[in-house]
Amino acid sequence: MARRKSEQDILFEVKTPIDLLVRVTYSYWKLIATVKHPVMDGKVVEVQSTLEWPDEIRQSKRDAAVFLFYKETGNGRWICAVVKSLNGGGLLVTTYPTDSIKEGVTIWHK
């Protein structure tokens, strides 16, 4: 008998180019896709790709432990995935579409 997925089960786990392992649970993704940025509903694969194969990674000007991963989607638009580095791992804070790359120090570029 197959086990039912719980809210705390891992939806996805990816290793980023800066060696952060980012894990996202079903329940946290649901929060992002329904409350924080509903426009991201159905975009799990795109967010995974942004984290695993970004075009650019910037370090936040306000918090050195926060990194912004950007992947171009076309027509001058990007997906931004915001990750906080905690205890050697990464926590996806949020993700959203944007038409510009925010200020910050570029720490990795494709």
Side-chain angles (χ1 to χ4, degrees):
M1 185 163 137
R3 184 172 82 81
R4 201 174 133 223
K5 290 182 177 81
S6 83
E7 292 289 302
Q8 293 308 311
D9 281 343
I10 302 298
L11 173 62
F12 70 82
E13 176 179 278
V14 295
K15 183 95 170 205
T16 71
I18 57 172
D19 289 329
L20 284 176
L21 182 64
V22 179
R23 290 187 181 109
V24 179
T25 63
Y26 282 92
S27 62
Y28 197 73
W29 180 258
K30 185 177 176 182
L31 174 70
I32 290 172
T34 60
V35 176
K36 289 184 169 192
H37 297 285
V39 69
M40 297 306 292
D41 189 28
K43 305 275 189 214
V44 172
V45 171
E46 291 87 340
V47 173
Q48 286 176 280
S49 178
T50 299
L51 292 168
E52 200 166 8
W53 300 292
D55 292 320
E56 187 168 327
I57 304 170
R58 294 202 174 193
Q59 187 171 33
S60 169
K61 285 176 29 177
R62 286 183 247 150
D63 186 341
V66 172
F67 300 93
L68 293 89
F69 292 72
Y70 290 95
K71 187 163 188 85
E72 191 170 12
T73 61
N75 298 325
R77 303 284 297 170
W78 304 80
I79 287 181
C80 178
V82 181
V83 173
K84 182 155 184 134
S85 176
L86 295 169
N87 303 321
L91 167 70
L92 180 67
V93 175
T94 195
T95 183
Y96 54 87
T98 183
D99 59 2
S100 65
I101 292 179
K102 308 301 182 252
E103 291 183 18
V105 177
T106 301
I107 61 163
W108 188 92
H109 199 280
K110 179 169 82 169

